[in-house]
Amino acid sequence: RLLLENARQLVLVCGRGERYLRRDGAAGLAVLRGASLVVGLDGCIKAVGQADVIRSQFSEATFERIIDCSGKCVLPGLVDAHTHPVWAGDRVHEFAMKLAGASYMEIHQAGGGIHFTVEHTRKATEEELFSTFKHRLERMLRAGSTLVECKSGYGLNLETELKMLRVIERAKRSMDIGISSTYCGAHSVPKGKTATEATDDIINNHLPKLKELKLSGEIHVDNIDVFCEKGVFDLESTRRILQAGKDIGLQINFHGDELHPMKSAELGAELGAQAISHLEEVSDEGITAMARAKCAAVLLPTTAYMLRLKQPQARKMLEEGVIVALGSDFNPNAYCFSMPMVMHLACVNMKMSMNEALAAATINAAYALGKSDTHGSLEVGKQGDLVIINSSRWEHLIYQFGGHEALINYVIIKGKVIYQNEMCETMSSY
């Protein structure tokens, strides 16, 4: 179906069926030179290797498309492990408040933040939400993301949460980009309820409805998320919701230890969470517990950057053997679509190496979503999701801060060219 020929560099990320890379594994990132890759009609990778070997192996084959990758680099499609892309009503006015010194929680308590977005999202029609969501996904795609985790969480009542999940389901079925959907009804305590009342509502009403819709095939949710935070959902409420979600077959993947140390990491490790996000305030014990439980840490450098929080301890986590993944945290508070920019921030602000950042935005981000057996690296049998950049070295994708628009030449999903950037043919990416 598709042949990519003679790439200057072909970045496998990993080549021995690893489900994730820890620090030592990311150091030896696998890069082939003068290499080709074949994707079959089923959308999966059939062969990866030296150009002349592939040419003779497939000398009889016919291809729908051949892309000459001379002088270019081929990388796995990027995976964004944490986003909130379905909402109405932007919060550009709050950005000004933050710049003037207001904290996240001060804005939240004044009825801004999540509550502001909830108000607008409740009023929006499903059609309006789908239309803006689709445009956001297209922008993520053009920045190289081929698999994105998408959360609900701006409804906080059953009706709006379901509206958001239906919008995500519709995109899953109608768009090429890969989506892992997350129910995040415990994103904030709705006005007029206590945390305990909200928790009971989620366990007694929301989750049974999700189970019913899953059985009827209407909505398929992959993950359950809770904002475990002081003044939002405490540890006990978080435990109850996550356990109830796990009981109906959802993967645990939640917000923890962001603004205050909550022992979220310890809880996640104990419950068998697939991933925990944020972790700016994680304890040393939490880091050890996550490493032992193979629970991925989804770090969000844009959030720490925009809210001027202390940076997550990426180095300590890597040294302790935690599986570190990255996400954009795209939402009205952190408006960033670009995983290349996220990787750059991870390197500069969180002191990750470029190899570690790429592993965190591919194989490890796929692992955080429970999808690293099919996504996140260029290996035979995996889905043919790729990014081709117009550069002689793959590192330019991270090195050029905000430069992905002139660098990314093609984005390919399941062997199909979804985005081709003509600009790359006419202008130098240097």
Side-chain angles (χ1 to χ4, degrees), residues 238-259:
T238 301
R239 175 196 296 277
R240 287 179 57 209
I241 295 168
L242 293 176
Q243 186 61 54
K246 189 179 179 180
D247 292 345
I248 66 163
L250 301 177
Q251 287 183 126
I252 296 176
N253 187 334
F254 71 112
H255 291 61
D257 297 327
E258 178 185 357
L259 305 169

Side-chain angles (χ1 to χ4, degrees), residues 290-308:
M290 285 180 73
R292 199 174 298 133
K294 297 191 175 71
C295 169
V298 179
L299 305 184
L300 309 168
T302 51
T303 315
Y305 163 72
M306 291 193 199
L307 293 178
R308 298 169 174 157

Side-chain angles (χ1 to χ4, degrees), residues 25-43:
L29 205 71
V31 179
L32 301 180
R33 289 165 216 292
S36 295
L37 178 145
V38 173
V39 183
L41 283 168
D42 60 356

Side-chain angles (χ1 to χ4, degrees), residues 1 15 176 301 322 326 328 364:
R1 179 190 193 171
D176 294 291
V322 174
L326 289 170
S328 68
N364 289 358

Side-chain angles (χ1 to χ4, degrees), residues 131-418:
S131 168
T132 50
F133 176 41
K134 188 167 174 280
H135 288 301
R136 289 166 191 159
L137 286 175
E138 283 162 359
R139 286 179 72 179
M140 289 175 183
L141 186 87
R142 293 199 294 273
S145 293
T146 54
L147 173 61
V148 179
E149 183 264 6
C150 299
K151 302 177 191 292
S152 72
Y154 292 119
L156 309 184
N157 59 23
L158 181 55
E159 177 197 351
T160 315
E161 288 296 314
L162 290 179
K163 177 169 70 175
M164 295 180 76
L165 291 169
R166 277 197 302 274
V167 164
I168 295 170
E169 188 71 29
R170 190 169 148 192
K172 244 189 203 184
R173 292 179 187 180
S174 65
M175 295 181 72
D176 294 291
I177 195 165
I179 292 175
S180 175
S181 63
T182 301
Y183 163 74
C184 185
H187 195 195
S188 182
V189 178
K191 287 180 178 171
K193 276 198 168 86
T194 64
T196 308
E197 287 165 348
T199 301
D200 291 340
D201 184 34
I202 287 166
I203 292 169
N204 301 329
N205 301 314
H206 292 212
L207 293 175
K209 187 66 182 170
L210 286 189
K211 187 180 178 181
E212 180 194 315
L213 292 169
K214 183 180 172 182
L215 290 172
S216 71
E218 281 175 67
I219 295 178
H220 181 81
V221 178
D222 303 292
N223 317 288
I224 181 147
D225 190 352
V226 175
F227 187 15
C228 181
E229 185 53 73
K230 190 173 170 184
V232 192
F233 289 92
D234 65 13
L235 207 63
E236 197 39 51
S237 298
T238 301
R239 175 196 296 277
R240 287 179 57 209
I241 295 168
L242 293 176
Q243 186 61 54
K246 189 179 179 180
D247 292 345
I248 66 163
L250 301 177
Q251 287 183 126
I252 296 176
N253 187 334
F254 71 112
H255 291 61
D257 297 327
E258 178 185 357
L259 305 169
H260 300 91
M262 299 286 294
K263 296 204 182 317
S264 305
E266 293 89 325
L267 174 69
E270 179 199 327
L271 292 178
Q274 186 72 26
I276 306 171
S277 291
H278 283 294
L279 301 164
E280 287 85 352
E281 299 287 345
V282 68
S283 68
D284 292 351
E285 297 75 22
I287 290 175
T288 306
M290 285 180 73
R292 199 174 298 133
K294 297 191 175 71
C295 169
V298 179
L299 305 184
L300 309 168
T302 51
T303 315
Y305 163 72
M306 291 193 199
L307 293 178
R308 298 169 174 157
L309 302 174
K310 82 176 187 205
Q311 295 287 331
Q313 301 176 69
R315 281 263 53 90
K316 183 171 169 61
M317 290 181 196
L318 287 160
E319 276 148 26
E320 299 254 348
V322 174
I323 301 159
V324 172
L326 289 170
S328 68
D329 196 14
F330 172 79
N331 74 72
N333 171 59
Y335 206 106
C336 174
F337 295 105
S338 166
M339 285 304 289
M341 289 177 84
V342 168
M343 290 190 284
H344 179 102
L345 288 172
C347 294
V348 175
N349 288 342
M350 301 196 310
K351 302 181 171 57
M352 289 174 75
S353 71
M354 286 192 284
N355 288 11
E356 287 165 343
L358 185 65
T362 53
I363 191 73
N364 289 358
Y367 174 81
L369 304 177
K371 288 185 182 286
S372 60
D373 51 342
T374 51
H375 294 70
S377 62
L378 302 182
E379 295 179 81
V380 171
K382 283 199 172 181
Q383 195 166 298
D385 293 1
L386 321 116
V387 173
I388 302 173
I389 67 166
N390 189 26
S391 173
S392 58
R393 290 185 56 159
W394 73 265
E395 290 94 340
H396 274 274
L397 192 60
I398 297 178
Y399 163 63
Q400 294 190 19
F401 189 50
H404 64 262
E405 284 174 11
L407 268 175
I408 294 176
N409 199 165
Y410 295 90
V411 179
I412 293 165
I413 297 179
K414 292 185 182 169
K416 182 175 146 196
V417 174
I418 306 301

